[in-house]
Amino acid sequence: MNYKIVADSSSNVRELQNVDYKSVPLKIICEGKEYVDDSNLNVGKMIDDLKYSKSASTTSCPNSQEWLDAFEGGEDIFAFTITSSLSGSFNSATNAKNLYLSNNENANVCVVDSLSTGGEMQLLMEKVVECYENGYDFESTKNEIENYKKNTHLIFCLKSMNNLAKNGRVSSASAKVALVLGIRVVGKASDEGTLQPLHKCRGEGKALQTIYEVMLAEGFCGGKVRISHCNNEEGAKKLEEIIKSSFRNCDVEINECGALCSYYAEDGGLIVGYEG
Ligand code: X90
């Protein structure tokens, strides 16, 4: 059976080597202009545009038709969405699944609510690839993903939570903490898929150390780590160093945030998916 992986663009994965893969873009909207989160977009330019705009900006998730178009041609389809607690992406993908199955009797579609985003979605996708490479079928891959997901986590570090607060994704009280100059908020994706602030840290060094400590407390012991950064490759690399000073052969990958995660994680933000 051929398999296909589809994920909304919050995963920050633009392509998966040797895999039939499609990223379905979310959009950032400001002054009537839509910034489509795909590889044609200049994310830096978008951030600049938004910085100098006086108007409010917002985001929107893919609609069912956009998911459906991405499913096209797939037999065993695995679709991954950003947490349904913060976005309608999972709903759209689920509607698309029902439409797709009614027109493609022999297809299988599994829509996974990541209850997370970024690197944790990437880990789930990599698990699908691993399953198929090992000869698993659709049902056993689906079970494997459900189990694996119990063991993956997401931690993040943010300098500003302005866009999250303005768009109602965190309380303004949480966002205020991040307004203090030099303070980073370290938080995690909760079990319900909401954004849970954990620590206020003064300075990047302290924030990175705190990330690592939370990872250990959540059961990290040298498994895979997937770091996405918004304009902060240096911070991502420092975190990699901290991890590798204890787990030398740890599989760590770093990539850049796409537009959606850049918009919400903002300048300097780090989003880290890892195995517990
Ligand atoms: O549907 C939409 O318009 C998208 C809304 C997305 C809102 C939240 C995006 C958060 C992105 C911030 C740090 C990671 C938080 C993880 C919480 C589960 C990145």
Side-chain angles (χ1 to χ4, degrees):
M1 205 48 132
N2 286 327
Y3 72 101
K4 181 170 196 170
I5 300 179
V6 184
D8 69 44
S9 61
S10 77
S11 78
N12 303 314
V13 176
R14 297 272 189 232
E15 51 185 71
L16 273 179
Q17 292 241 308
N18 306 321
V19 176
D20 186 4
Y21 170 68
K22 266 224 146 41
S23 168
V24 189
L26 287 105
K27 299 182 191 87
I28 291 83
I29 300 138
C30 185
E31 293 182 6
K33 186 171 172 188
E34 271 189 3
Y35 298 87
V36 179
D37 187 7
D38 63 21
S39 47
N40 299 318
L41 181 70
N42 181 336
V43 178
K45 165 93 172 51
M46 175 193 84
I47 301 290
D48 272 355
D49 286 0
L50 297 182
K51 198 155 53 187
Y52 296 112
S53 164
K54 292 203 164 53
S55 312
S57 52
T58 182
T59 59
S60 75
C61 65
N63 60 35
S64 304
Q65 188 59 49
E66 288 161 336
W67 280 104
L68 200 57
D69 291 345
F71 291 172
E72 211 43 64
E75 292 173 44
D76 285 4
I77 301 171
F78 288 85
F80 295 90
T81 74
I82 186 171
T83 173
S84 62
S85 301
L86 298 178
S87 168
S89 191
F90 176 73
N91 249 330
S92 306
T94 304
N95 292 337
K97 166 186 163 168
N98 295 333
L99 286 168
Y100 193 76
L101 290 179
S102 62
N103 295 325
N104 299 272
E105 279 173 9
N106 296 322
N108 295 305
V109 183
C110 169
V111 180
V112 180
D113 178 356
S114 71
L115 298 174
S116 183
T117 188
E120 191 172 357
M121 284 169 77
Q122 183 177 350
L123 289 173
L124 299 175
M125 293 191 250
E126 289 175 6
K127 188 51 117 185
V128 173
V129 177
E130 193 186 306
C131 285
Y132 274 82
E133 278 174 357
N134 288 316
Y136 285 45
D137 65 3
F138 178 78
E139 282 303 322
S140 42
T141 303
K142 200 172 137 182
N143 292 336
E144 189 69 16
I145 295 299
E146 278 312 317
N147 282 328
Y148 181 63
K149 205 175 122 185
K150 294 179 191 146
N151 222 19
T152 56
H153 307 271
L154 189 90
I155 180 151
F156 56 82
C157 164
L158 307 174
K159 268 205 258 184
S160 160
M161 294 168 90
N162 268 339
N163 286 337
L164 281 165
K166 280 187 194 154
N167 285 285
R169 261 72 184 193
V170 291
S171 72
S172 49
S174 304
K176 264 195 196 123
V177 174
L179 276 180
V180 180
L181 204 67
I183 292 290
R184 269 104 171 135
V185 173
V186 170
K188 68 172 188 176
S190 70
D191 292 344
E192 299 75 41
T194 56
L195 194 152
Q196 185 181 349
L198 296 171
H199 301 281
K200 294 181 261 182
C201 301
R202 193 168 292 282
E204 175 121 305
K206 183 82 183 96
L208 296 176
Q209 202 53 46
T210 303
I211 289 182
Y212 182 60
E213 280 159 20
V214 175
M215 286 171 69
L216 292 176
E218 301 262 354
F220 175 73
C221 50
K224 286 182 174 181
V225 182
R226 300 290 178 257
I227 308 173
S228 303
H229 68 88
C230 176
N231 256 327
N232 190 8
E233 193 176 7
E234 205 185 317
K237 284 193 165 148
K238 277 191 193 145
L239 180 61
E240 178 177 16
E241 264 170 43
I242 296 174
I243 294 167
K244 286 193 167 166
S245 67
S246 304
F247 300 101
R248 199 191 313 185
N249 297 318
C250 183
D251 174 1
V252 182
E253 278 181 22
I254 297 175
N255 67 10
E256 281 175 31
C257 286
L260 190 277
C261 284
S262 295
Y263 176 76
Y264 283 109
E266 301 194 45
D267 194 38
L270 295 175
I271 307 174
V272 185
Y274 63 98
E275 292 179 342

Short mmCIF file of all heavy atoms in Angstrom, two decimals, residues 4-51:
data_model
loop_
_atom_site.label_atom_id
_atom_site.label_comp_id
_atom_site.label_asym_id
_atom_site.label_seq_id
_atom_site.Cartn_x
_atom_site.Cartn_y
_atom_site.Cartn_z
N LYS A 4 0.75 8.21 2.36
CA LYS A 4 0.98 9.64 2.14
C LYS A 4 0.88 10.34 3.48
O LYS A 4 0.02 10.00 4.29
CB LYS A 4 -0.10 10.16 1.19
CG LYS A 4 0.02 11.64 0.85
CD LYS A 4 -0.93 12.01 -0.27
CE LYS A 4 -0.53 13.35 -0.86
NZ LYS A 4 -1.25 13.65 -2.10
N ILE A 5 1.76 11.30 3.71
CA ILE A 5 1.71 12.07 4.95
C ILE A 5 1.35 13.52 4.60
O ILE A 5 1.90 14.09 3.66
CB ILE A 5 3.06 12.02 5.70
CG1 ILE A 5 3.40 10.56 6.05
CG2 ILE A 5 3.01 12.88 6.95
CD1 ILE A 5 4.72 10.39 6.79
N VAL A 6 0.40 14.05 5.35
CA VAL A 6 -0.02 15.44 5.14
C VAL A 6 0.01 16.11 6.51
O VAL A 6 -0.39 15.50 7.51
CB VAL A 6 -1.46 15.49 4.55
CG1 VAL A 6 -1.87 16.92 4.25
CG2 VAL A 6 -1.57 14.64 3.29
N ALA A 7 0.51 17.33 6.57
CA ALA A 7 0.51 18.05 7.85
C ALA A 7 0.25 19.52 7.59
O ALA A 7 0.65 20.04 6.55
CB ALA A 7 1.85 17.89 8.56
N ASP A 8 -0.41 20.19 8.52
CA ASP A 8 -0.53 21.63 8.33
C ASP A 8 0.83 22.28 8.59
O ASP A 8 1.73 21.68 9.18
CB ASP A 8 -1.69 22.23 9.14
CG ASP A 8 -1.49 22.22 10.64
OD1 ASP A 8 -0.38 22.57 11.09
OD2 ASP A 8 -2.45 21.87 11.35
N SER A 9 0.98 23.52 8.10
CA SER A 9 2.31 24.13 8.05
C SER A 9 2.86 24.49 9.42
O SER A 9 4.01 24.90 9.53
CB SER A 9 2.29 25.37 7.16
OG SER A 9 1.38 26.32 7.68
N SER A 10 2.07 24.30 10.48
CA SER A 10 2.61 24.58 11.82
C SER A 10 3.70 23.57 12.21
O SER A 10 4.39 23.77 13.20
CB SER A 10 1.49 24.56 12.85
OG SER A 10 1.11 23.23 13.15
N SER A 11 3.82 22.48 11.43
CA SER A 11 4.86 21.49 11.76
C SER A 11 6.26 21.99 11.39
O SER A 11 7.26 21.42 11.81
CB SER A 11 4.61 20.18 11.00
OG SER A 11 5.02 20.32 9.66
N ASN A 12 6.31 23.03 10.57
CA ASN A 12 7.60 23.58 10.07
C ASN A 12 8.36 22.59 9.19
O ASN A 12 9.55 22.80 8.94
CB ASN A 12 8.51 24.05 11.22
CG ASN A 12 7.83 25.08 12.09
OD1 ASN A 12 7.22 26.02 11.58
ND2 ASN A 12 7.92 24.94 13.40
N VAL A 13 7.70 21.54 8.75
CA VAL A 13 8.34 20.58 7.85
C VAL A 13 7.86 20.86 6.44
O VAL A 13 6.68 20.72 6.14
CB VAL A 13 8.01 19.12 8.24
CG1 VAL A 13 8.60 18.13 7.24
CG2 VAL A 13 8.53 18.82 9.64
N ARG A 14 8.79 21.28 5.58
CA ARG A 14 8.42 21.63 4.20
C ARG A 14 8.47 20.42 3.28
O ARG A 14 7.72 20.30 2.35
CB ARG A 14 9.39 22.68 3.65
CG ARG A 14 9.36 23.98 4.40
CD ARG A 14 8.30 24.88 3.82
NE ARG A 14 8.38 26.20 4.40
CZ ARG A 14 7.35 26.83 4.94
NH1 ARG A 14 6.17 26.25 5.00
NH2 ARG A 14 7.50 28.03 5.43
N GLU A 15 9.43 19.55 3.55
CA GLU A 15 9.47 18.30 2.78
C GLU A 15 10.03 17.17 3.62
O GLU A 15 10.76 17.39 4.60
CB GLU A 15 10.28 18.47 1.50
CG GLU A 15 11.65 19.08 1.68
CD GLU A 15 12.31 19.29 0.31
OE1 GLU A 15 11.86 20.19 -0.42
OE2 GLU A 15 13.23 18.52 0.02
N LEU A 16 9.65 15.95 3.25
CA LEU A 16 10.15 14.76 3.92
C LEU A 16 10.81 13.92 2.84
O LEU A 16 10.15 13.55 1.88
CB LEU A 16 8.99 13.96 4.53
CG LEU A 16 8.50 14.28 5.93
CD1 LEU A 16 7.34 13.38 6.30
CD2 LEU A 16 9.61 14.12 6.96
N GLN A 17 12.09 13.65 3.02
CA GLN A 17 12.85 12.96 1.98
C GLN A 17 12.26 11.59 1.63
O GLN A 17 11.94 10.80 2.52
CB GLN A 17 14.29 12.77 2.47
CG GLN A 17 15.01 14.09 2.58
CD GLN A 17 16.22 14.15 1.67
OE1 GLN A 17 17.05 13.27 1.71
NE2 GLN A 17 16.29 15.19 0.85
N ASN A 18 12.12 11.35 0.32
CA ASN A 18 11.64 10.06 -0.20
C ASN A 18 10.25 9.67 0.28
O ASN A 18 9.92 8.50 0.33
CB ASN A 18 12.61 8.92 0.16
CG ASN A 18 14.02 9.22 -0.30
OD1 ASN A 18 14.20 9.78 -1.38
ND2 ASN A 18 15.00 8.87 0.51
N VAL A 19 9.47 10.65 0.70
CA VAL A 19 8.11 10.34 1.17
C VAL A 19 7.12 11.21 0.40
O VAL A 19 7.40 12.36 0.08
CB VAL A 19 7.99 10.67 2.69
CG1 VAL A 19 6.57 10.45 3.19
CG2 VAL A 19 8.96 9.84 3.50
N ASP A 20 5.96 10.61 0.07
CA ASP A 20 4.89 11.38 -0.54
C ASP A 20 4.29 12.26 0.56
O ASP A 20 3.56 11.77 1.43
CB ASP A 20 3.85 10.38 -1.09
CG ASP A 20 2.76 11.08 -1.89
OD1 ASP A 20 2.86 12.31 -2.08
OD2 ASP A 20 1.82 10.38 -2.31
N TYR A 21 4.67 13.51 0.55
CA TYR A 21 4.35 14.40 1.67
C TYR A 21 3.81 15.74 1.17
O TYR A 21 4.32 16.29 0.19
CB TYR A 21 5.60 14.65 2.53
CG TYR A 21 5.42 15.73 3.56
CD1 TYR A 21 4.56 15.55 4.64
CD2 TYR A 21 6.09 16.95 3.47
CE1 TYR A 21 4.37 16.54 5.59
CE2 TYR A 21 5.91 17.95 4.42
CZ TYR A 21 5.05 17.74 5.47
OH TYR A 21 4.86 18.73 6.40
N LYS A 22 2.80 16.26 1.84
CA LYS A 22 2.29 17.59 1.51
C LYS A 22 2.09 18.41 2.78
O LYS A 22 1.53 17.92 3.77
CB LYS A 22 0.94 17.48 0.80
CG LYS A 22 1.02 17.47 -0.70
CD LYS A 22 -0.05 18.37 -1.34
CE LYS A 22 0.41 19.04 -2.61
NZ LYS A 22 1.20 18.20 -3.50
N SER A 23 2.57 19.66 2.72
CA SER A 23 2.31 20.59 3.81
C SER A 23 1.13 21.47 3.41
O SER A 23 1.12 22.03 2.31
CB SER A 23 3.57 21.43 4.05
OG SER A 23 3.29 22.52 4.88
N VAL A 24 0.13 21.58 4.27
CA VAL A 24 -1.06 22.39 3.96
C VAL A 24 -0.94 23.71 4.73
O VAL A 24 -0.89 23.71 5.96
CB VAL A 24 -2.35 21.67 4.40
CG1 VAL A 24 -3.58 22.40 3.90
CG2 VAL A 24 -2.34 20.23 3.90
N PRO A 25 -0.84 24.83 4.01
CA PRO A 25 -0.53 26.08 4.69
C PRO A 25 -1.65 26.69 5.52
O PRO A 25 -2.81 26.69 5.11
CB PRO A 25 -0.17 27.03 3.53
CG PRO A 25 -0.76 26.44 2.32
CD PRO A 25 -0.89 24.96 2.54
N LEU A 26 -1.28 27.20 6.69
CA LEU A 26 -2.14 28.15 7.40
C LEU A 26 -1.84 29.51 6.78
O LEU A 26 -0.92 29.64 5.97
CB LEU A 26 -1.82 28.15 8.90
CG LEU A 26 -2.31 26.91 9.65
CD1 LEU A 26 -1.17 25.99 9.97
CD2 LEU A 26 -3.07 27.28 10.92
N LYS A 27 -2.60 30.53 7.18
CA LYS A 27 -2.38 31.85 6.61
C LYS A 27 -2.31 32.90 7.71
O LYS A 27 -2.94 32.75 8.76
CB LYS A 27 -3.53 32.23 5.66
CG LYS A 27 -3.66 31.28 4.48
CD LYS A 27 -4.78 31.74 3.55
CE LYS A 27 -5.09 30.67 2.51
NZ LYS A 27 -6.08 29.69 2.99
N ILE A 28 -1.53 33.94 7.44
CA ILE A 28 -1.47 35.08 8.33
C ILE A 28 -2.12 36.24 7.56
O ILE A 28 -1.81 36.43 6.37
CB ILE A 28 -0.01 35.42 8.72
CG1 ILE A 28 0.56 34.30 9.62
CG2 ILE A 28 0.09 36.74 9.48
CD1 ILE A 28 1.10 33.12 8.92
N ILE A 29 -3.00 36.97 8.21
CA ILE A 29 -3.77 37.98 7.48
C ILE A 29 -3.59 39.34 8.14
O ILE A 29 -3.74 39.47 9.37
CB ILE A 29 -5.26 37.60 7.46
CG1 ILE A 29 -5.42 36.24 6.77
CG2 ILE A 29 -6.10 38.65 6.72
CD1 ILE A 29 -6.39 35.35 7.44
N CYS A 30 -3.26 40.32 7.31
CA CYS A 30 -3.10 41.68 7.83
C CYS A 30 -3.46 42.67 6.74
O CYS A 30 -3.00 42.53 5.60
CB CYS A 30 -1.66 41.90 8.30
SG CYS A 30 -1.41 43.48 9.10
N GLU A 31 -4.26 43.65 7.07
CA GLU A 31 -4.70 44.69 6.11
C GLU A 31 -5.19 44.06 4.81
O GLU A 31 -4.82 44.51 3.72
CB GLU A 31 -3.55 45.66 5.84
CG GLU A 31 -3.20 46.51 7.06
CD GLU A 31 -2.10 47.52 6.80
OE1 GLU A 31 -1.68 47.65 5.64
OE2 GLU A 31 -1.67 48.16 7.77
N GLY A 32 -5.98 43.02 4.92
CA GLY A 32 -6.57 42.40 3.73
C GLY A 32 -5.59 41.56 2.94
O GLY A 32 -5.96 40.90 1.97
N LYS A 33 -4.31 41.55 3.35
CA LYS A 33 -3.33 40.75 2.62
C LYS A 33 -3.16 39.38 3.31
O LYS A 33 -3.09 39.32 4.53
CB LYS A 33 -2.00 41.51 2.59
CG LYS A 33 -0.98 40.81 1.73
CD LYS A 33 0.27 41.65 1.50
CE LYS A 33 1.26 40.72 0.79
NZ LYS A 33 2.57 41.26 0.64
N GLU A 34 -3.09 38.34 2.47
CA GLU A 34 -2.89 36.99 3.02
C GLU A 34 -1.47 36.54 2.80
O GLU A 34 -0.98 36.55 1.67
CB GLU A 34 -3.80 36.00 2.28
CG GLU A 34 -5.15 35.85 2.90
CD GLU A 34 -5.92 34.70 2.26
OE1 GLU A 34 -5.38 33.98 1.38
OE2 GLU A 34 -7.08 34.53 2.64
N TYR A 35 -0.82 36.12 3.85
CA TYR A 35 0.52 35.52 3.74
C TYR A 35 0.34 34.01 3.87
O TYR A 35 -0.06 33.53 4.93
CB TYR A 35 1.43 36.03 4.84
CG TYR A 35 1.66 37.53 4.80
CD1 TYR A 35 0.78 38.41 5.44
CD2 TYR A 35 2.74 38.07 4.11
CE1 TYR A 35 0.97 39.78 5.40
CE2 TYR A 35 2.95 39.44 4.06
CZ TYR A 35 2.07 40.29 4.71
OH TYR A 35 2.26 41.64 4.67
N VAL A 36 0.59 33.31 2.78
CA VAL A 36 0.37 31.86 2.76
C VAL A 36 1.65 31.17 3.23
O VAL A 36 2.73 31.40 2.68
CB VAL A 36 0.00 31.39 1.33
CG1 VAL A 36 -0.19 29.88 1.31
CG2 VAL A 36 -1.25 32.11 0.86
N ASP A 37 1.54 30.33 4.26
CA ASP A 37 2.70 29.73 4.90
C ASP A 37 3.24 28.55 4.07
O ASP A 37 3.12 27.39 4.46
CB ASP A 37 2.32 29.27 6.31
CG ASP A 37 3.51 28.78 7.11
OD1 ASP A 37 4.66 28.91 6.63
OD2 ASP A 37 3.28 28.25 8.22
N ASP A 38 3.81 28.87 2.92
CA ASP A 38 4.47 27.82 2.13
C ASP A 38 5.88 28.28 1.75
O ASP A 38 6.31 29.37 2.15
CB ASP A 38 3.64 27.42 0.90
CG ASP A 38 3.46 28.56 -0.07
OD1 ASP A 38 4.26 29.54 -0.05
OD2 ASP A 38 2.51 28.50 -0.88
N SER A 39 6.59 27.46 1.00
CA SER A 39 8.01 27.77 0.77
C SER A 39 8.21 28.98 -0.16
O SER A 39 9.33 29.47 -0.28
CB SER A 39 8.73 26.54 0.21
OG SER A 39 7.98 25.98 -0.82
N ASN A 40 7.14 29.50 -0.77
CA ASN A 40 7.30 30.71 -1.60
C ASN A 40 7.32 31.98 -0.76
O ASN A 40 7.67 33.05 -1.26
CB ASN A 40 6.12 30.85 -2.59
CG ASN A 40 6.07 29.67 -3.53
OD1 ASN A 40 7.11 29.22 -4.00
ND2 ASN A 40 4.88 29.14 -3.76
N LEU A 41 6.92 31.86 0.49
CA LEU A 41 6.79 33.07 1.31
C LEU A 41 8.13 33.49 1.93
O LEU A 41 8.87 32.66 2.44
CB LEU A 41 5.76 32.82 2.43
CG LEU A 41 5.49 34.00 3.36
CD1 LEU A 41 4.72 35.09 2.62
CD2 LEU A 41 4.71 33.56 4.59
N ASN A 42 8.41 34.78 1.86
CA ASN A 42 9.57 35.33 2.55
C ASN A 42 9.12 35.70 3.98
O ASN A 42 8.49 36.74 4.19
CB ASN A 42 10.06 36.54 1.76
CG ASN A 42 11.29 37.17 2.38
OD1 ASN A 42 11.53 37.03 3.58
ND2 ASN A 42 12.05 37.88 1.57
N VAL A 43 9.43 34.84 4.92
CA VAL A 43 8.92 35.00 6.29
C VAL A 43 9.47 36.29 6.94
O VAL A 43 8.74 37.03 7.60
CB VAL A 43 9.23 33.77 7.18
CG1 VAL A 43 8.74 33.96 8.59
CG2 VAL A 43 8.61 32.51 6.59
N GLY A 44 10.75 36.56 6.69
CA GLY A 44 11.37 37.77 7.26
C GLY A 44 10.65 39.02 6.79
O GLY A 44 10.38 39.94 7.58
N LYS A 45 10.32 39.05 5.51
CA LYS A 45 9.62 40.21 4.94
C LYS A 45 8.22 40.34 5.56
O LYS A 45 7.78 41.44 5.88
CB LYS A 45 9.55 40.02 3.41
CG LYS A 45 8.59 40.87 2.65
CD LYS A 45 9.29 42.13 2.13
CE LYS A 45 8.44 42.95 1.17
NZ LYS A 45 7.10 43.30 1.61
N MET A 46 7.56 39.20 5.77
CA MET A 46 6.23 39.24 6.39
C MET A 46 6.31 39.84 7.80
O MET A 46 5.52 40.71 8.15
CB MET A 46 5.65 37.81 6.48
CG MET A 46 4.32 37.78 7.23
SD MET A 46 3.78 36.11 7.69
CE MET A 46 4.68 35.86 9.23
N ILE A 47 7.32 39.37 8.56
CA ILE A 47 7.47 39.88 9.94
C ILE A 47 7.70 41.40 9.91
O ILE A 47 7.11 42.14 10.71
CB ILE A 47 8.66 39.18 10.65
CG1 ILE A 47 8.45 37.65 10.70
CG2 ILE A 47 8.93 39.74 12.03
CD1 ILE A 47 7.36 37.16 11.62
N ASP A 48 8.51 41.87 8.97
CA ASP A 48 8.75 43.31 8.84
C ASP A 48 7.47 44.06 8.50
O ASP A 48 7.14 45.07 9.11
CB ASP A 48 9.78 43.57 7.73
CG ASP A 48 11.19 43.53 8.28
OD1 ASP A 48 11.33 43.40 9.52
OD2 ASP A 48 12.14 43.62 7.48
N ASP A 49 6.74 43.54 7.51
CA ASP A 49 5.46 44.16 7.13
C ASP A 49 4.55 44.32 8.35
O ASP A 49 3.96 45.37 8.58
CB ASP A 49 4.69 43.30 6.12
CG ASP A 49 5.31 43.34 4.72
OD1 ASP A 49 6.33 44.05 4.54
OD2 ASP A 49 4.77 42.66 3.82
N LEU A 50 4.47 43.24 9.14
CA LEU A 50 3.55 43.24 10.28
C LEU A 50 4.01 44.22 11.35
O LEU A 50 3.21 44.89 11.99
CB LEU A 50 3.42 41.84 10.90
CG LEU A 50 2.83 40.75 10.00
CD1 LEU A 50 2.73 39.43 10.76
CD2 LEU A 50 1.46 41.12 9.45
N LYS A 51 5.35 44.29 11.50
CA LYS A 51 5.91 45.18 12.52
C LYS A 51 5.54 46.64 12.24
O LYS A 51 5.24 47.40 13.14
CB LYS A 51 7.44 45.01 12.53
CG LYS A 51 8.08 45.51 13.78
CD LYS A 51 9.42 44.87 14.12
CE LYS A 51 10.46 44.89 13.03
NZ LYS A 51 11.67 44.13 13.35
#
